[in-house]
């Protein structure tokens, strides 16, 4: 029994720290990959409708997992992001985003099965959405960098709640990349605690996003 008590945590430590892959870095402007044509100068100004570029956009979760006393960040993401953003002058008047939760995946199949089934029940709630409810004011019409607060309605697991969070934005040619993190308390959205088997989690996590918008013609 003593040997087992020592071996299990030691094996878990070795798995987490030496064998399993490190968790992906947080989504941020530093990790943004510009879509094709991003360096092409923007024509016609920023006014108009912008849409997410799927191959350069990601939405996902980050939750701390503890296995036999050893902690590791669990991260799952999807690139299936659709929606639009409207800019007029220095005002972002509309942002509407939809993430396909059925395609969220991590580096662990058992975790993904729990996420798709018991935790997020994606058969009933296949999408997560965000709708901007208060306009955002940009520093200037031709600003290439901005750090602003966004307020809107976030819907997860079929429950909608108001949220306010920090957003970093960068314009490169004809692309606007926006990134941020929204703290999530699972009970607020009726989401069961992700704890399963020997893996335990806290009662909260983070929603991360990095969306690269390109202007519609």
């Amino acid at each position: 029994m003593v040997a087992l008590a020592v071996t299990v945590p030691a094996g878990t430590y070795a798995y987490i720290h030496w064998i399993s892959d490190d968790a992906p870095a947080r989504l941020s402007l530093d990790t943004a990959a510009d879509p094709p044509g991003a360096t092409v100068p923007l024509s016609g100004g920023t006014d108009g409708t912008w849409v997410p570029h799927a191959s350069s956009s990601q939405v996902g979760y980050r939750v701390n997992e503890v296995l036999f006393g050893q902690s590791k960040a669990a991260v799952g993401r999807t690139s299936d992001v659709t929606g639009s953003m409207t800019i007029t002058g220095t005002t972002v008047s509309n942002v509407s985003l939809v993430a396909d939760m059925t395609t969220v995946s991590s580096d662990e199949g058992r975790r993904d099965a729990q996420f798709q089934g018991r935790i997020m029940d994606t058969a009933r709630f296949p999408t997560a959405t965000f709708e901007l409810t208060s306009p955002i004011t940009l520093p200037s019409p031709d600003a290439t960098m901005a750090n602003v607060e966004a307020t809107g309605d976030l819907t997860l697991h079929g429950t909608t709640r108001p949220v306010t969070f920090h957003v970093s934005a960068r314009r490169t040619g004809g692309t606007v990349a926006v990134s941020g993190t929204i703290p999530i308390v699972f009970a607020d959205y009726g989401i069961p605690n992700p704890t399963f088997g020997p893996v335990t989690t806290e009662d909260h996590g983070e929603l991360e996003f990095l969306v690269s918008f390109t202007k519609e013609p």
Side-chain angles (χ1 to χ4, degrees):
M1 291 297 293
V2 173
L4 181 63
V6 172
T7 302
V8 170
T12 302
Y13 180 91
Y15 172 76
I16 290 176
H17 294 281
W18 300 329
I19 301 175
S20 66
D21 294 334
D22 291 336
R26 291 182 179 277
L27 293 174
S28 70
L29 296 182
D30 292 335
T31 64
D34 291 329
T39 57
V40 177
L42 178 66
S43 61
T46 58
D47 285 9
T49 300
W50 298 69
V51 296
H53 192 280
S55 66
S56 304
S57 299
Q58 293 186 80
V59 171
Y61 66 83
R62 183 177 293 268
V63 179
N64 285 329
E65 291 182 342
V66 178
L67 176 60
F68 296 115
Q70 303 298 321
S71 179
K72 180 183 179 181
V75 177
R77 293 172 180 168
T78 179
S79 291
D80 291 329
V81 184
T82 58
S84 64
M85 172 176 68
T86 303
I87 300 177
T88 305
T90 60
T91 301
V92 179
S93 58
N94 172 72
V95 177
S96 178
L97 293 173
V98 179
D100 185 349
M101 302 300 279
T102 68
T103 59
V104 172
S105 62
S106 69
D107 63 348
E108 174 54 60
R110 288 171 295 181
R111 181 191 299 126
D112 294 342
Q114 290 286 325
F115 179 90
Q116 297 292 338
R118 178 183 67 86
I119 298 170
M120 296 303 294
D121 193 3
T122 58
R124 285 203 300 156
F125 310 112
T127 62
T129 64
F130 173 77
E131 297 284 344
L132 188 71
T133 55
S134 297
I136 297 172
T137 300
L138 303 174
S140 68
D142 58 353
T144 57
M145 292 291 296
N147 291 286
V148 298
E149 294 291 312
T151 297
D153 289 333
L154 176 66
T155 301
L156 294 174
H157 199 254
T159 298
T160 301
R161 294 182 62 89
V163 291
T164 298
F165 52 95
H166 178 79
V167 176
S168 297
R170 179 182 67 207
R171 181 168 64 82
T172 305
T175 296
V176 173
V178 299
S179 181
T181 300
I182 305 175
I184 302 295
V185 176
F186 303 132
D188 288 348
Y189 294 88
I191 299 172
N193 189 288
T195 294
F196 69 97
V199 178
T200 61
T201 68
E202 299 172 321
D203 63 354
H204 62 278
E206 297 175 337
L207 184 156
E208 298 179 317
F209 65 90
L210 171 60
V211 182
S212 291
F213 290 91
T214 54
K215 188 181 176 184
E216 288 190 328

